[in-house]
Each structure stands twice: as C-alpha cells, then as structure tokens.
Amino acid sequence: MPEDAPETVLSVCTTCRATGDTAEPRAGARLLAALRAEADREPVPGLRIEGAECLSVCKRPCTVAVASPGRWTYVYGDFDALECAEESARIILAGLRNYQKTPDGLVPWRERPEAFRKGVVARIPPLTAARGDTAS
Amino acid sequence: MPEDAPETVLSVCTTCRATGDTAEPRAGARLLAALRAEADREPVPGLRIEGAECLSVCKRPCTVAVASPGRWTYVYGDFDALECAEESARIILAGLRNYQKTPDGLVPWRERPEAFRKGVVARIPPLTAARGDTAS
C-alpha cells in the first residue's frame, strides 16, 4: 500500500486489569507487548498498534479497538493476557488481516475469529459511510 | 462553523429493543425519531443524526454512538425510549453540545450528563490522535 494510505489503528487498553490480578505491568500492557512482538514477527500491512489509556470497557478486560478510515470501528473485549497473551495476540492479528481485506470493515460472520464473535463490545459506522440517509 | 467543516455523527441503533418489548417500531427507532424531533426543535450545530442497523451492544438498549473527526468516539447504552424517549433525546443532545465544544471529544467528567457517565459502553481514540507513540 502507498506510504500515505490511511492506516488502520489498533488501540490496546493498557489500563485493563484481569479480574483479581494486581500484578504490574497490567494485563492490558502485557497484551500490548504481545501484540507488538507478534506484529514484528508477522507484520500486518497498514496496521499501527497503540496503547490507549482506558477504553471504558472496564468490565470486560482485556479490551482492544480497531478503527480505519472508511471502515466500521469495532471494540472487542474478554481477551486473556495472563495465561497466554501470545495466543490472544495471534487471534487478534489474524482477525485484523481479514478486516484489512474488506473495503468497509465488515468481515463475513464465519470468517471472524470466535473471539471476535463472542467478544464484540460495540461497532460504530464509518464517518464517511455511503449510507442512504447520509444527506443531512 | 464553515459548511465544509467535519461533521459530528450521532448513530442511533434502530435494532435495539427494550427488554421484553416486542412492539414496532422498536425502541431504538423511537429514540431516533425523538432525537430528530428534538434536534429540529433545538438544533445542535454540526451534528448529523443517523439510524444504524445494530451497534452490537444488544444487552444495553437503547444504544447510540458519537463520532467526529479528530475526537474520541463514544458509545453509550441504557437509554429509555418507551417511558420517555423525549427526555432521553434531550439528555443526549445536551451531552453532545458539550462534546462539540471540545477539540478532542473529552468532556470533563463533571460536565457529562449522568446518563453518559453511567451508560458509557466504550470509547475509542481518534484516528488522528497526536499521541506520543503515534510514530509507527
């Protein structure tokens, strides 16, 4: 993709703690580190991974959000980052590879990782949506 | 604001049903109608209100999402649209007036309507965030 192409941004909540876990770094920060390591190992073209201070989904740690110009935004929760953060990272990045292949972010249900199906917290239409009622 | 200024979009889930309610139009569609009526009565500059088919927050009807270029995106749930949709609409639009006054969408906690504080489902950083770690 061209260098100036709009990027997809994966925001990883670094404030998330696993239930009952008081360790530092927090589960969310550990998930962020695992995602960066996995993306270094097997890059996802056009994806930028960032830490975010609280995505306000505190009851469903760990939480991530993916946003991309012209695509639906998704928020996912319930990711483990204590037992196997690497596995969570692989699942998330595999899901984002499918997301990147779509023009609008809408991946067919069967092609979504189970963790995305069960863990979806919310989705938000793109600002540039070409919907029927966009004329204001 | 200039005519070509980026708009803030309020997406209202029209798929939302209130718990146990089987009436048509659904609660979400009723909330959308109330929001449009209230915005006609007292416009919010730069705000576009749209219906959306499912925001995937099905356990917390009614649900809305607000997004704006350069601002944090917010998703809110738990809005009543059966007893008093008009009151919900007024609360939402009042909250969005405060949102519109900010450069980044981050309204001070005390200035947020209680329904926004309690009903927040998720928030997502702006794509254009000028955060410290944005260099990829």
Side-chain angles (χ1 to χ4, degrees):
Chain A
M1 76 195 304
E3 285 203 17
D4 61 351
E7 282 183 316
T8 292
V9 177
L10 176 68
S11 297
V12 183
C13 182
T14 54
T15 317
C16 272
R17 283 188 191 281
T19 309
D21 181 62
T22 57
E24 295 287 347
R26 296 181 180 206
R30 292 160 75 169
L31 180 60
L32 173 61
L35 281 160
R36 286 189 163 143
E38 181 66 18
D40 282 345
R41 205 182 61 79
E42 195 170 345
V44 180
L47 181 69
R48 195 173 70 197
I49 300 173
E50 296 190 343
E53 273 188 37
C54 193
L55 299 177
S56 291
V57 195
C58 310
K59 290 180 182 172
R60 296 181 66 179
C62 296
T63 305
V64 302
V66 58
S68 184
R71 293 190 174 102
W72 284 70
T73 293
Y74 280 84
V75 184
Y76 301 106
D78 306 331
F79 285 104
D80 165 71
L82 297 183
E83 298 297 321
C84 196
E86 294 71 20
E87 176 68 7
S88 293
R90 277 193 293 274
I91 290 168
I92 291 167
L93 295 184
L96 296 189
R97 284 190 188 91
N98 287 345
Y99 177 86
Q100 290 281 68
K101 289 177 192 162
T102 68
D104 53 10
L106 297 171
V107 176
W109 184 257
R110 291 187 180 185
E111 295 171 24
R112 300 179 195 182
E114 188 178 3
F116 277 19
R117 295 187 216 161
K118 291 187 175 174
V120 65
V121 171
R123 64 174 201 161
I124 301 102
L127 276 168
T128 53
R131 281 169 289 170
D133 58 350
T134 48
S136 55
Chain B
M1 76 198 302
E3 286 205 19
D4 61 351
E7 281 184 315
T8 292
V9 177
L10 176 67
S11 298
V12 183
C13 182
T14 54
T15 317
C16 271
R17 283 187 190 282
T19 308
D21 181 61
T22 57
E24 297 285 349
R26 298 183 180 204
R30 292 160 75 167
L31 180 60
L32 174 61
L35 281 159
R36 286 190 163 143
E38 181 66 18
D40 281 346
R41 203 181 64 77
E42 195 170 346
V44 180
L47 181 68
R48 194 173 70 196
I49 300 173
E50 297 191 341
E53 274 189 36
C54 192
L55 298 177
S56 291
V57 195
C58 310
K59 290 181 181 172
R60 298 181 64 180
C62 295
T63 305
V64 302
V66 58
S68 184
R71 293 188 174 103
W72 284 70
T73 293
Y74 280 84
V75 183
Y76 300 106
D78 306 331
F79 285 104
D80 165 70
L82 297 184
E83 298 297 322
C84 196
E86 294 71 20
E87 175 68 7
S88 294
R90 277 192 292 273
I91 291 168
I92 291 168
L93 295 184
L96 296 189
R97 284 189 189 92
N98 287 345
Y99 176 87
Q100 290 283 67
K101 289 176 192 161
T102 68
D104 53 10
L106 297 171
V107 176
W109 184 257
R110 290 185 181 187
E111 295 171 24
R112 300 179 195 183
E114 188 179 2
F116 277 18
R117 295 187 216 160
K118 290 187 176 173
V120 65
V121 171
R123 64 174 200 160
I124 301 101
L127 276 168
T128 53
R131 281 169 288 172
D133 59 349
T134 48
S136 56

